[in-house]
C-alpha cells in the first residue's frame, strides 16, 4: 500500500533512510515532510526492485516503478535535503503546497520529475531530469530555482514537451538563476515570456537568443557538456572539464538563500547548474 502523512502530522526522515515503494504505491503529504539527507548519507525514495532487468540494464534506470510523491493542498513547511526521488510514474507533484528542496535529485519519470500547481517552491542545487512529458511543469504559483540543472534525455518514450513548461504564465512568478536548461527538444514553453514575472538570470539555455528584461546576463546556445552517455544508460549531469558552465555562476545571486554553497557531492559550487 502507500504512505500517507496526515494533515497536522510531521514525518522526519533521517540521513541514510531509504524508502522502497511497490508498483503503483505512492507517498501523499497532507502535513509536513522533513527529509534530512547528507552528502555522506543521502535519502533515497525509489522502486522496490533491485538488480538488473536484463543483462547489464539495471532497474535503477527504469521509470514508472512506483507512483511518486504528492504534496497535497495546504501541505506546508516541507523540506528535502540531499534526497533522491527516482524512477516514478508521476514524479513529485505539488498542489498548492510549500516546499524547499536543497541538493536533491528528482529524476526519471513517465510524466514530469517535478510538476507544481499554485505552489511555493524554492529549489537550490537540484537536478530535475528525464521525463516523458518534460522536466518541469509550473501552473501558477511562486518559484525560485538557483543552481539547478534541468535536463531531459528520457529513453523509454518519445519526449512530448519542452524541458520547462509554464502553462499559466500570467499567474506564475518564477526565477531561474545560475541554472542550466538543456536537453532533447525545446528548452522553454511558451517561448515568448515578455512582460511576465518569469526571469532567467546568468543561466545556460539551449536556445540562441539575446538578453532583455526577462533574460539577463545569459549563456545562450551553449552545450553544457554533461558527463552523459545515453547509449550506455549513463545519465550523469555533472560537467566535463571544458564545459562553458564551469565556474560561470554569479556568486552574488546566492546571497538571497540561507544555504551552503556546496553541491550534492560536497564540492564548493561555482558553476552554473547543480554540480561543480
Amino acid at each position: 500500500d502507500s504512505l500517507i502523512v496526515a494533515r497536522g502530522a510531521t514525518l522526519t526522515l533521517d540521513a541514510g533512510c531509504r524508502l522502497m515503494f511497490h508498483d503503483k504505491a505512492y507517498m501523499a503529504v497532507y502535513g509536513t515532510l522533513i527529509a534530512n539527507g547528507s552528502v555522506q548519507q543521502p535519502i533515497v525514495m525509489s522502486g522496490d526492485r533491485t538488480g538488473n532487468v536484463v543483462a547489464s540494464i539495471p532497474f535503477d534506470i527504469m521509470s514508472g516503478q512506483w507512483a511518486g510523491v504528492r504534496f497535497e493542498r495546504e501541505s506546508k513547511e516541507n523540506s528535502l535535503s540531499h534526497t533522491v526521488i527516482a524512477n516514478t510514474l508521476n514524479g513529485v507533484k505539488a498542489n498548492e503546497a510549500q516546499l524547499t528542496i536543497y541538493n536533491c535529485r528528482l529524476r526519471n519519470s513517465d510524466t514530469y520529475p517535478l510538476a507544481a500547481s499554485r505552489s511555493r517552491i524554492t529549489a537550490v542545487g537540484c537536478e530535475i531530469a528525464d521525463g516523458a512529458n518534460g522536466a518541469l511543469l509550473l501552473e501558477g504559483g511562486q518559484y525560485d530555482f538557483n543552481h539547478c540543472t534541468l535536463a531531459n534525455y528520457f529513453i523509454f518514450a518519445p519526449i512530448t514537451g519542452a524541458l520547462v513548461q509554464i502553462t499559466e504564465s500570467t499567474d506564475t512568478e518564477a526565477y531561474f538563476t545560475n541554472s542550466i536548461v538543456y536537453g532533447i527538444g525545446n528548452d522553454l514553453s511558451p517561448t515568448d515570456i515578455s512582460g511576465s514575472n518569469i526571469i532567467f538570470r546568468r543561466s545556460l539555455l539551449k536556445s540562441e537568443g539575446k538578453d532583455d528584461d526577462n533574460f539577463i546576463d545569459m549563456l545562450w546556445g551553449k552545450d553544457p557538456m554533461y558527463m552523459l552517455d545515453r547509449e550506455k544508460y549513463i545519465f550523469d549531469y555533472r560537467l566535463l572539464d571544458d564545459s562553458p558552465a564551469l565556474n560561470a555562476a554569479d556568486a552574488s545571486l546566492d546571497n538571497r538563500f540561507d544555504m551552503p554553497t556546496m553541491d550534492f557531492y560536497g564540492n564548493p559550487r561555482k558553476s552554473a547548474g547543480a554540480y561543480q
Side-chain angles (χ1 to χ4, degrees):
D1 207 338
S2 298
L3 178 60
I4 311 298
V5 182
R7 184 168 283 107
T10 297
L11 171 63
T12 301
L13 305 178
D14 291 336
C17 178
R18 182 165 187 179
L19 303 182
M20 302 173 72
F21 294 82
H22 196 58
D23 182 37
K24 299 181 180 62
Y26 59 87
M27 176 187 285
V29 182
Y30 295 87
T32 301
L33 174 65
I34 308 293
N36 292 321
S38 67
V39 172
Q40 295 78 15
Q41 293 183 296
I43 290 167
V44 178
M45 303 184 197
S46 65
D48 63 359
R49 303 195 72 174
T50 60
N52 292 341
V53 183
V54 292
S56 60
I57 301 176
F59 273 105
D60 185 58
I61 70 164
M62 300 295 293
S63 63
Q65 293 187 51
W66 60 292
V69 181
R70 305 196 315 250
F71 292 92
E72 303 288 1
R73 183 175 287 110
E74 298 178 1
S75 173
K76 57 186 180 181
E77 299 179 359
N78 299 287
S79 177
L80 279 63
S81 177
H82 291 88
T83 299
V84 179
I85 301 177
N87 307 330
T88 62
L89 175 63
N90 294 315
V92 174
K93 299 182 72 173
N95 180 24
E96 298 184 29
Q98 297 177 0
L99 174 62
T100 298
I101 50 178
Y102 170 68
N103 282 2
C104 292
R105 298 177 65 206
L106 314 181
R107 65 179 188 88
N108 203 25
S109 169
D110 280 351
T111 53
Y112 299 94
L114 177 60
S117 176
R118 303 191 181 281
S119 295
R120 178 172 293 184
I121 295 177
T122 298
V124 175
C126 295
E127 173 192 317
I128 304 169
D130 300 325
N133 295 353
L136 174 66
L137 173 65
L138 304 179
E139 301 177 301
Q142 295 179 307
Y143 307 95
D144 211 333
F145 296 90
N146 188 47
H147 279 294
C148 289
T149 294
L150 297 117
N152 203 359
Y153 290 87
F154 191 75
I155 61 173
F156 298 108
I159 297 171
T160 60
L163 274 80
V164 175
Q165 300 168 34
I166 302 172
T167 63
E168 299 180 20
S169 57
T170 57
D171 296 322
T172 303
E173 182 178 323
Y175 298 92
F176 298 85
T177 53
N178 288 330
S179 293
I180 295 173
V181 182
Y182 195 99
I184 294 174
N186 295 331
D187 43 18
L188 183 62
S189 176
T191 55
D192 184 3
I193 56 173
S194 56
S196 72
N197 289 316
I198 302 163
I199 306 295
F200 287 82
R201 185 187 294 267
R202 198 53 184 172
S203 293
L204 185 153
L205 291 185
K206 183 179 181 180
S207 298
E208 296 283 355
K210 60 182 181 179
D211 288 2
D212 57 23
D213 290 342
N214 295 91
F215 297 96
I216 303 165
D217 193 23
M218 297 292 291
L219 300 170
W220 291 103
K222 297 183 182 295
D223 186 339
M225 304 179 69
Y226 300 130
M227 293 182 180
L228 170 80
D229 193 330
R230 196 167 180 246
E231 292 183 358
K232 294 183 179 179
Y233 308 112
I234 297 172
F235 298 91
D236 189 336
Y237 295 109
R238 288 176 290 179
L239 305 174
L240 295 174
D241 289 343
D242 48 356
S243 166
L246 202 67
N247 299 321
D250 181 348
S252 68
L253 299 174
D254 299 334
N255 295 335
R256 66 190 192 280
F257 301 96
D258 185 20
M259 299 179 186
T261 55
M262 310 288 282
D263 73 5
F264 182 87
Y265 299 97
N267 302 307
R269 184 168 43 222
K270 300 177 182 179
S271 300
Y275 305 114
Q276 181 53 32

